[in-house]
């Protein structure tokens, strides 16, 4: 209990940490106010969920800076941003290694640990053939605890690398009127889709949990995220016309 109080104090004292998180596995608060997901160690799994749920009836854009480590060839596995309504609520977790703490080893078998119902954006730093991963690091939109994807974004670059010892800006927006989801990495749109999350994924529920999952395997990296802001208003008309963004 004492540790919890101290961590909350640290978080509240930081200008960057404006959200409280439930922490699982190796996840922990960092002195900077960012949230450690995995240390630079083998076979780690860390998950952090905001204690405040999202309301999918409302427009939102949520922004983070993410860090995927500094080892390219020897690094793994990545992180996911997840929105879920799993019955385990703030204790939900998926498989380590190629599951990135979100998914499962084989999309054809609904067994093992995975998070569902859910959607997620994976930032994947290690190639796994069962998940249809390309050679390069990549970003993919995932559904209902399956790490397998048929499409991905890697800037059409087979050398694309996120384990570059740099922070990367990540934004996710949801529009309940148009059902549009937009994901940006470093101001580039890396996923854009239309899906009625409320009806198609969450069976009518609009109050959902959000957070990050992460893992390592035999290869590993330090991985963490920093919450920046959440906005509940869509971009202004000015921005829709191409100004200001
Ligand atoms: Ca890489
Ligand atoms: Ca992978």
């Amino acid at each position: 209990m004492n540790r919890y109080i101290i961590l909350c104090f640290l978080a509240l004292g930081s200008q960057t940490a404006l959200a409280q998180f439930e922490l699982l596995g190796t996840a922990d608060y960092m002195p900077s106010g960012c949230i450690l997901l995995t240390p630079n160690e083998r076979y780690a799994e860390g998950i952090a969920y905001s204690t405040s749920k999202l309301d999918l009836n409302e427009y939102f854009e949520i922004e983070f800076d993410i860090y995927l480590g500094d080892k390219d060839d020897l690094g793994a596995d990545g992180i996911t941003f997840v929105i879920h309504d799993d019955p385990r609520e703030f204790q939900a977790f998926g498989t380590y290694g190629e599951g990135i703490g979100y998914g499962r080893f084989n999309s054809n078998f609904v067994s093992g640990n995975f998070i569902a119902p859910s959607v997620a954006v994976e930032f994947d730093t290690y190639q796994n053939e069962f998940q249809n991963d390309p050679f390069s690091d990549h970003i993919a939109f995932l559904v209902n605890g399956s790490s397998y994807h048929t499409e991905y974004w890697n800037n059409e670059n087979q050398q694309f690398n996120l384990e570059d010892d740099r922070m990367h800006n990540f934004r996710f927006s949801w529009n309940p009127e148009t059902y549009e989801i937009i994901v940006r990495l470093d101001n580039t749109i890396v996923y854009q889709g239309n899906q009625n999350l409320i009806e198609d994924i969450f069976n009518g529920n609009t109050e959902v949990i959000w957070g990050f999952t992460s893992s390592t395997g035999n290869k590993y990296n330090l991985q963490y995220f920093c919450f920046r802001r959440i906005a509940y208003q869509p971009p202004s008309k000015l921005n829709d016309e191409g100004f200001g963004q």
Side-chain angles (χ1 to χ4, degrees):
M1 180 58 82
N2 285 339
R3 180 168 172 269
Y4 177 75
I5 292 170
I6 291 167
L7 291 174
C8 287
F9 175 77
L10 285 172
L12 289 169
S14 164
Q15 293 182 335
T16 55
L18 302 174
Q20 297 285 313
F21 293 91
E22 294 269 356
L23 305 175
L24 300 177
T26 52
D28 204 351
Y29 284 96
M30 302 169 76
S32 60
C34 300
I35 306 291
L36 172 74
L37 289 169
T38 66
N40 192 29
E41 296 173 1
R42 288 186 171 87
Y43 300 107
E45 180 167 342
I47 295 177
Y49 294 126
S50 169
T51 56
S52 298
K53 292 186 176 182
L54 282 169
D55 180 357
L56 295 177
N57 284 319
E58 303 288 331
Y59 174 92
F60 68 84
E61 181 183 76
I62 193 163
E63 178 177 354
F64 308 89
D65 290 324
I66 57 176
Y67 180 86
L68 283 302
D70 63 358
K71 294 190 295 294
D72 185 8
D73 287 345
L74 299 176
D77 274 279
I79 71 176
T80 85
F81 171 72
V82 61
I83 298 172
H84 80 74
D85 187 30
D86 188 290
R88 294 169 293 175
E89 299 191 308
F90 296 98
Q91 300 298 313
F93 64 96
T95 301
Y96 71 94
E98 64 196 74
I100 314 186
Y102 166 77
R104 51 192 186 259
F105 286 126
N106 189 323
S107 62
N108 295 322
F109 293 100
V110 185
S111 62
N113 288 307
F114 58 94
I115 299 173
S118 66
V119 293
V121 177
E122 70 163 14
F123 299 87
D124 188 331
T125 58
Y126 187 79
Q127 183 177 26
N128 300 97
E129 63 177 299
F130 285 139
Q131 315 301 348
N132 199 37
D133 289 343
F135 173 78
S136 62
D137 297 350
H138 57 281
I139 296 148
F141 190 78
L142 306 177
V143 173
N144 287 334
S146 173
S147 299
Y148 181 89
H149 47 76
T150 56
E151 297 180 352
Y152 56 82
W153 184 94
N154 66 347
N155 207 22
E156 299 183 2
N157 175 4
Q158 284 302 312
Q159 305 303 318
F160 180 67
N161 178 36
L162 287 165
E163 300 151 306
D164 56 0
D165 197 24
R166 295 183 181 203
M167 305 299 293
H168 293 274
N169 185 260
F170 161 50
R171 287 189 280 162
F172 181 107
S173 68
W174 157 248
N175 187 326
E177 295 181 0
T178 61
Y179 305 143
E180 186 170 50
I181 298 159
I182 299 177
V183 179
R184 290 180 172 87
L185 180 74
D186 297 330
N187 287 324
T188 296
I189 292 178
V190 296
Y191 175 82
Q192 188 164 13
N194 288 76
Q195 185 166 22
N196 185 341
L197 295 182
I198 296 170
E199 297 302 328
D200 295 351
I201 303 292
F202 296 114
N203 197 28
N205 185 28
T206 60
E207 301 285 327
V208 291
I209 293 170
W210 66 269
F212 282 86
T213 75
S214 178
S215 67
T216 64
N218 189 39
K219 295 187 177 181
Y220 53 96
N221 256 323
L222 171 67
Q223 303 175 107
Y224 62 88
F225 74 93
C226 314
F227 174 68
R228 292 305 179 207
R229 70 182 178 99
I230 185 164
Y232 294 102
Q233 295 293 328
S236 67
K237 187 70 177 170
L238 200 61
N239 287 339
D240 287 345
E241 292 172 355
F243 299 95
Q245 282 277 31

